[in-house]
Amino acid sequence: AFLDQVVTAMYNSQNEVQRKQINAFMTTFQEHPQAWTRVDAILEQTQLDLSKFFALATLEHCVKSRWKVLPAEQREAIKSYIVSVIVRYSSDEATLLRTKVQLSKLNLILVQILKQEWPHNWKDFIPQIVESGKTNETLCGNNMQILRLLSEEVFEFSLRQLTSKKVETLKESLTQEFQ
């Protein structure tokens, strides 16, 4: 409820000073090393899409900036949580349509994780995503979206963010998986 009030005030306030203060508060929250641990509760408890998007942006910030320093069990927990929410949000057409914005953000976060974990620490990602796609059409469609995003990241956008050796490894792995 408090986060919903803060987010609503951020986007609806006409007071520039108040918006700057709220933005500073939200940035401080996002940068807190444990902020990501609140994301699941926010997603489950809030009804406000803007609050959900803020929570996912917080998780994305953690993945991009702190992934390598998180203990392995926390990385695994985040990975499992993201996969489970993606599966839940894309398991039927009605849920997919209702959660489309959050699902898109979750897909992007998953791709950020894949860029760091796959293929070395998540060798069976491609077989897992192919197998889960057999469950139903909407999940299969979302899985194709994830693969498209991963392919774009690896083949088009990765040079800005990854070492050339990592890019080459990802390209080789992606190519080998689909031969």
Side-chain angles (χ1 to χ4, degrees):
F2 176 70
L3 179 63
D4 290 346
Q5 292 172 350
V6 171
V7 170
T8 300
M10 171 73 181
Y11 289 101
N12 294 335
S13 177
Q14 300 298 318
N15 183 332
E16 187 65 29
V17 173
Q18 183 185 35
R19 279 205 333 252
K20 285 183 179 181
Q21 290 172 333
I22 294 169
N23 187 48
F25 169 79
M26 292 173 73
T27 300
T28 300
F29 174 83
Q30 252 184 351
E31 292 174 352
H32 189 281
Q34 296 299 311
W36 66 270
T37 64
R38 305 286 188 241
V39 170
D40 59 338
I42 294 168
L43 288 180
E44 300 304 319
Q45 295 172 4
T46 186
Q47 297 301 312
L48 190 63
D49 285 340
L50 289 172
S51 293
K52 290 179 181 185
F53 195 81
F54 173 73
L56 291 172
T58 300
L59 185 57
E60 182 178 39
H61 176 75
C62 172
V63 169
K64 285 182 171 182
S65 65
R66 300 186 33 80
W67 188 257
K68 296 290 187 193
V69 298
L70 292 174
E73 61 274 2
Q74 288 180 349
R75 290 192 311 264
E76 192 59 39
I78 292 170
K79 191 170 77 173
S80 295
Y81 175 74
I82 289 172
V83 168
S84 71
V85 175
I86 287 172
V87 169
R88 187 175 41 163
Y89 283 8
S90 60
S91 61
D92 66 80
E93 190 72 29
T95 306
L96 182 112
L97 292 173
R98 192 178 73 251
T99 61
K100 189 173 187 134
V101 173
Q102 293 94 12
L103 183 59
S104 294
K105 191 70 164 173
L106 284 161
N107 289 346
L108 291 170
I109 295 168
L110 180 60
V111 168
Q112 291 300 319
I113 291 171
L114 286 165
K115 285 169 35 180
Q116 299 183 62
E117 293 289 303
W118 180 74
H120 302 296
N121 297 328
W122 198 353
K123 293 177 180 12
D124 57 348
F125 166 72
I126 299 292
Q128 284 178 344
I129 199 167
V130 169
E131 189 60 34
S132 74
K134 296 176 183 176
T135 308
N136 65 54
E137 189 175 334
T138 55
L139 182 57
C140 181
N142 190 64
N143 288 355
M144 295 301 291
Q145 178 72 10
I146 292 167
L147 291 171
R148 183 186 64 79
L149 290 169
L150 178 60
S151 176
E152 287 174 357
E153 280 292 319
V154 170
F155 287 98
E156 296 174 28
F157 305 121
S158 57
L159 292 177
R160 289 176 273 178
Q161 300 168 343
L162 302 171
T163 65
S164 57
K165 182 168 177 44
K166 180 67 175 180
V167 170
E168 196 57 41
T169 301
L170 290 172
K171 284 181 180 180
E172 287 175 13
S173 296
L174 197 54
T175 303
Q176 287 173 0
E177 289 288 347
F178 290 101
Q179 286 185 345

